[in-house]
Amino acid sequence: MFRFVLSRLLQSLVALAILSVVVFVLARATGDPLSLILPMGATEEDYANARRYLGLDRPYVEQYFSFVGKAVTGDFGMSLRARKPVIELIGERLPNSLRLAVFAMGVSLAIAFPLGIMAAVKKGTGLDRAAQVIAVLGQSLPTFWVAIVLVEFVAGRLQWLPAGGIEGFTSYILPGFTLGWFVVAGMMRLLRSAMLEVLDSEYVKLARVKGVVEHRVVWLHALKNALIPVVTFAGIYFAILVTTAIVVETVFAWPGLGRLAYEGISSRDFPVIQAVVLTTAAIVAVVNLGVDCLYAVIDPRIRYAR
């Protein structure tokens, strides 16, 4: 187990190193940030002075190694737009994204678990067909469309909930539901398939033959073994909820990491773009490692195999 964890850590570090090169190059491919920072009447001398002050006149290789050397100590430099340390910006925004992702995942689990299990137990019934319709809608409706519809009708015309910002618990409902909508569909379908497979297995049939009551067969014997793919899905999607919420956070004016990335890309703020990408990549790597460890706890055969 220790060797496995160490191996995954090394793989994650290599992936982060490769990603740092990619994001460094792509960030600079978006254009010159000074054209967005300096006023319209700025002279060539103003551009040269600003480029020298920000360190953008140095060779790319030197800029890259300077960036990586500072990044490993948690120093991502200064934001070109906000003129604040990037680590402070991430520290302000990341908790908001984490709280929203936890809320969205909670909503997803609360809806997907009972629906997925009941759809498998009641296979072929009206409940099963209704659950499959919800799954199709969840995976086919674009996130931005769901967000705009909720803002227009629920927040705008009905005025039941706030349309954006953080004004208390009610502010989490619309962006949380929008963010978790796709996860509900995927998790429900996955859980239904896993439950159907387990319910048809020999040990479940044996439990029924021995007279174990049906609800114990479903909730204790079958669900435990059906959870393995669901745990993987939930873990990976939690990281995705944190790292890819750009659309949702932009539509709902949510001050999170996704919106910070959007602002960084819009203003060609290299340090912000690089820091956000590496931070989100580190979150994905840590979550994946945690999921693998949890995998081995749920099913000891996996731990021994490794």
Side-chain angles (χ1 to χ4, degrees):
M1 187 69 180
F2 174 76
R3 291 180 61 187
F4 166 73
V5 173
L6 184 62
S7 171
R8 290 300 308 273
L9 277 175
L10 292 175
Q11 291 175 14
S12 299
L13 291 176
V14 171
L16 286 174
I18 295 173
L19 184 63
S20 69
V21 176
V22 173
V23 70
F24 180 85
V25 173
L26 291 181
R28 280 149 183 80
T30 59
D32 187 354
L34 298 183
S35 61
L36 299 177
I37 297 173
L38 295 179
M40 292 289 291
T43 64
E44 288 296 326
E45 185 179 0
D46 295 330
Y47 272 86
N49 290 335
R51 191 166 283 112
R52 185 166 51 254
Y53 176 75
L54 296 172
L56 300 177
D57 60 333
R58 293 181 293 167
Y60 283 160
V61 174
E62 186 179 338
Q63 289 185 46
Y64 171 76
F65 282 106
S66 174
F67 154 65
V68 172
K70 292 179 179 177
V72 295
T73 64
D75 180 6
F76 291 103
M78 297 286 289
S79 165
L80 302 181
R81 179 182 59 85
R83 304 304 305 150
K84 291 175 63 177
V86 176
I87 193 66
E88 283 188 20
L89 295 175
I90 291 179
E92 294 169 1
R93 302 296 187 91
L94 182 57
N96 294 332
S97 290
L98 288 174
R99 283 193 288 267
L100 181 60
V102 169
F103 182 86
M105 185 56 73
V107 171
S108 303
L109 293 174
I111 298 174
F113 256 69
L115 273 180
I117 294 171
M118 293 308 297
V121 174
K122 304 291 184 182
K123 180 185 176 184
T125 64
L127 177 63
D128 184 23
R129 285 190 285 274
Q132 292 187 47
V133 170
I134 293 174
V136 171
L137 289 176
Q139 292 187 316
S140 58
L141 295 179
T143 301
F144 72 90
W145 185 84
V146 174
I148 292 172
V149 168
L150 290 177
V151 169
E152 172 65 22
F153 288 96
V154 180
R157 300 190 184 185
L158 300 175
Q159 297 187 344
W160 286 349
L161 295 167
I166 302 179
E167 301 174 2
F169 175 76
T170 54
S171 301
Y172 286 80
I173 297 176
L174 293 186
F177 178 81
T178 306
L179 202 57
W181 177 241
F182 180 81
V183 182
V184 168
M187 191 177 298
M188 186 172 62
R189 294 186 67 168
L190 188 61
L191 186 57
R192 178 183 178 276
S193 300
M195 283 293 291
L196 285 175
E197 184 177 345
V198 174
L199 287 172
D200 196 41
S201 62
E202 294 300 322
Y203 79 91
V204 169
K205 292 177 182 176
L206 180 62
R208 284 171 172 156
V209 169
K210 286 184 175 178
V212 179
V213 293
E214 187 63 19
H215 72 271
R216 288 184 63 86
V217 171
V218 173
W219 293 98
L220 294 182
H221 296 280
L223 181 59
K224 180 181 178 183
N225 289 286
L227 277 179
I228 294 176
V230 179
V231 167
T232 305
F233 181 89
I236 293 173
Y237 263 86
F238 178 76
I240 292 175
L241 290 178
V242 177
T243 59
T244 63
I246 293 179
V247 172
V248 173
E249 291 187 0
T250 302
V251 172
F252 290 100
W254 189 267
L257 208 58
R259 195 173 174 206
L260 179 63
Y262 171 77
E263 293 168 355
I265 294 170
S266 301
S267 58
R268 298 171 188 163
D269 198 338
F270 299 158
V272 169
I273 298 171
Q274 293 164 173
V276 170
V277 173
L278 288 181
T279 301
T280 55
I283 291 173
V284 171
V286 170
V287 170
N288 281 338
L289 184 61
V291 168
D292 282 336
C293 294
L294 190 58
Y295 223 68
V297 171
I298 294 176
D299 189 348
R301 293 172 300 177
I302 298 173
R303 183 170 63 235
Y304 294 138
R306 286 166 177 166

